[in-house]
Amino acid sequence: MFKPFSLFVGLRYTAAKRNNHFISFISLVSMLGLMLGVAALILVLSVMNGFDRELKDRILGMVPHASITGYDQPIEDWKSISSAVLDDPRVIGTAPFIHAQGMLTNAGQVRGVMVQGVDPEAEKAVSIVADHMLNGSWDTLKEANFGIVLGDLLARYLGVRMGDKVTLVLPEASISVAGVTPRLKRFTVVGIFSVGAELDSSLAYINIDDAAKIKRIPEGVEGIRLTLDDLFKAPSAVREIGSKLPGYYLISDWTRTHGNLFQAIQMEKKMIGLLLFLIVFVAAFNIVSTLVMVVTDKKSDIAILRTLGATPGMIMRIFMVQGVVIGFAGTLLGAGLGTLLALTVTDLVAWLESVLGVQFLSADVYFISYLPSQLNMSDVVLITASAMSISFLATLYPAWRASKTQPAEALRYE
C-alpha cells in the first residue's frame, strides 16, 4: 500500500482524466478564477503603493513638511529662529521663504501661479526641485537678477523657453499718478523643472530678495520651511517646536494642504483591496462546487475504498488533497502573474501610451502623469497566505460529505 494513502489517491484523482468533462472544466475555471483574483489583488495594491510612494517622494518633496510663519508681520530675526529650530533632532533642514500668488502672462497667455521666493542654497535642504531641473541650473536663481524657474507644464502653457521674458502680476495694487494699477514685474526664465506632478503647472520660484522687493518687505521673511525626519509626525512635532519659540507664530504642516489626498489614497487602497478580495472568495466557492460534483461522481469509488478498509478520515483527506491542489496551484500562478505585472505595469502603460498616442494620466487632472507601481513582498505573502487558507477551508465541507458516504447506499444501484 502506498504511503501516505490519502495523498497518493488524492493526487491520482487530481491528475486523472475524467469522463465527466464538465467537472474538469469547472476545476479549470476555479483555478483560473483564483489565479486572476490573486494577480489582480497584487497588481492593484502595488499600484496604490506606487501612488502612495509618489505622494511622499514627489508632492511632499516639493511641499514643506511644516512651516512657521510670522503673525501678521514678517519674521525679522529669522536666522536665530532657524538656528533654534535646527537644534531639535527631528528637524533635518530649514529654509526661509516669501510666498506670493499672482498671474504670469506672456504673449496673451495668462496663468495663475504660486510664486515662492527662496534662498537657492537653503531650499535644497527642504525641496527636491533642484534635482529635477529639465533646463537651466537652480543656482542661476541669483539676487537682483530677477530670474524665475517655472514648472514644465506652466512653461508650456505660457509658450516660453529658456531666456524668454514673462510678466508677474500681483493682486496688490500700486497707487501712482496714473491711478490704481496692479503690481507688475518682468522676469527672465532661467530654469524649467519637472517632477511629474500637478505642481509643474502652478508653481514658480524666484530669489527671496527679489520677492522681498516686489512684495515691499523691507526686512525679514514671511516664514521658514521645515523638513522633518518623520513626515507623519509633522503635526505634533511642529506644534511642540513652535511652542518653544519666543513670540507668536503661525504653524502649519503638510496634512493641512495635502492630507486629504493622502487619506483618500489610503482609503481607496483598503476599499479596492477588500472588493478585489471578494474575487478570491468567489473562486473558493467554485472549489466547493467542484468538489461537491466530484464527490457525487465518485460515490461508487468511495464505496469501494470503504469496503477495502479506508476509514472516513482517509476519504476526507483524499478530497481535501484534491481541493488543496486546485487552490494552491491557482494561488501560486496568480502570485507569479501578479508579481510580474506589478514589476512591469509602469513600462507597459508607457508603451501603450506611445503606441496609441494617448495619455491615460494627465498632470492636469491627476497629481502625477504616469502609472506608478511599488511591489511590497509583505503584500504578496499576505495575499498568498490568505488565498491558500481560504482554499483549504473551502475543501472541508465537500470532503466531510465524501467521508459520510455509506458503501451499501452507493453500490445499491451499481
Side-chain angles (χ1 to χ4, degrees):
M1 183 68 69
F2 290 96
K3 301 291 184 178
F5 172 73
S6 299
L7 178 62
F8 172 75
V9 177
L11 291 176
R12 284 289 301 271
Y13 271 179
T14 304
K17 294 183 178 179
R18 297 187 179 92
N19 293 327
N20 192 333
H21 296 289
F22 181 71
I23 296 177
S24 300
F25 174 74
I26 294 298
S27 300
L28 179 61
V29 168
S30 301
M31 185 182 298
L32 291 178
L34 198 58
M35 179 187 73
L36 293 176
V38 170
L41 194 52
I42 292 175
L43 175 60
V44 171
L45 288 184
S46 297
V47 170
M48 298 306 293
N49 289 334
F51 276 105
D52 187 38
R53 179 199 64 203
E54 293 303 311
L55 175 64
K56 295 176 185 176
D57 294 345
R58 291 182 180 269
I59 304 298
L60 299 182
M62 297 289 289
V63 175
H65 294 176
S67 63
I68 299 173
T69 57
Y71 191 78
D72 289 336
Q73 60 182 358
I75 304 176
E76 296 183 356
D77 57 340
W78 66 269
K79 292 184 178 180
S80 63
I81 298 296
S82 180
S83 299
V85 170
L86 281 173
D87 290 337
D88 192 295
R90 294 169 294 185
V91 179
I92 299 176
T94 63
F97 72 90
I98 294 177
H99 175 76
Q101 288 185 334
M103 294 183 298
L104 284 177
T105 67
N106 175 66
Q109 300 295 323
V110 181
R111 191 77 178 180
V113 65
M114 295 183 295
V115 180
Q116 299 289 349
V118 298
D119 181 333
E121 191 61 35
E123 190 69 12
K124 295 178 182 179
V126 299
S127 174
I128 62 172
V129 62
D131 300 323
H132 290 79
M133 297 294 294
L134 288 181
N135 302 106
S137 172
W138 178 253
D139 296 324
T140 58
L141 209 59
K142 298 178 180 178
E143 176 187 358
N145 193 29
F146 289 102
I148 189 169
V149 174
L150 305 177
D152 177 41
L153 292 177
L154 181 58
R156 277 192 273 170
Y157 289 143
L158 296 174
V160 297
R161 295 179 292 179
M162 291 288 296
D164 289 346
K165 300 284 186 178
V166 293
T167 302
L168 174 63
V169 182
L170 297 182
E172 290 89 353
S174 299
I175 300 176
S176 64
V177 292
V180 179
T181 59
R183 197 173 301 169
L184 308 175
K185 184 60 185 177
R186 296 278 284 175
F187 284 86
T188 303
V189 178
V190 296
I192 297 175
F193 69 87
S194 174
V195 293
E198 61 178 350
L199 295 176
D200 291 345
S201 64
S202 60
L203 190 60
Y205 291 92
I206 61 177
N207 189 277
I208 193 169
D209 294 311
D210 296 340
K213 291 176 183 177
I214 63 173
K215 291 205 70 175
R216 297 177 181 174
I217 298 176
E219 189 175 353
V221 299
E222 288 185 343
I224 302 172
R225 291 195 184 96
L226 283 65
T227 297
L228 305 174
D229 58 353
D230 188 349
L231 64 91
F232 293 105
K233 295 181 180 178
S236 58
V238 72
R239 282 197 299 269
E240 184 179 340
I241 293 170
S243 64
K244 297 178 181 178
L245 297 176
Y248 296 96
Y249 300 95
L250 298 177
I251 59 173
S252 181
D253 60 82
W254 68 272
T255 60
R256 299 186 182 184
T257 56
H258 291 78
N260 291 337
L261 180 60
F262 182 79
Q263 292 173 1
I265 291 176
Q266 294 296 312
M267 180 62 70
E268 288 174 3
K269 179 181 176 181
K270 293 177 182 178
M271 295 306 298
I272 291 176
L274 178 61
L275 292 174
L276 289 177
F277 204 72
L278 295 178
I279 299 176
V280 177
F281 278 101
V282 172
F285 278 113
N286 284 338
I287 294 176
V288 174
S289 61
T290 299
L291 290 183
V292 168
M293 288 187 289
V294 170
V295 169
T296 303
D297 189 55
K298 297 292 185 182
K299 275 191 174 182
S300 58
D301 293 354
I302 296 171
I304 293 172
L305 289 173
R306 289 293 306 276
T307 58
L308 291 175
T311 64
M314 289 181 177
I315 299 299
M316 187 173 180
R317 288 191 291 273
I318 286 172
F319 288 94
M320 286 177 65
V321 167
Q322 191 171 359
V324 165
V325 168
I326 294 174
F328 280 25
T331 299
L332 293 176
L333 288 173
L337 177 62
T339 301
L340 178 63
L341 289 175
L343 294 174
T344 59
V345 66
T346 301
D347 296 332
L348 180 61
V349 171
W351 176 76
L352 286 175
E353 288 180 339
S354 63
V355 170
L356 300 177
V358 298
Q359 188 173 14
F360 297 122
L361 294 177
S362 173
D364 294 341
V365 181
Y366 305 96
F367 70 89
I368 59 175
S369 57
Y370 66 98
L371 189 69
S373 177
Q374 179 179 343
L375 179 66
N376 291 341
M377 291 309 299
S378 59
D379 289 341
V380 176
V381 172
L382 178 61
I383 294 169
T384 303
S386 300
M388 287 184 173
S389 299
I390 294 172
S391 301
F392 173 75
L393 293 175
T395 65
L396 295 180
Y397 174 73
W400 176 78
R401 284 284 303 274
S403 70
K404 296 299 181 181
T405 300
Q406 298 298 323
E409 284 291 325
L411 296 175
R412 175 177 295 179
Y413 301 106
E414 292 294 329

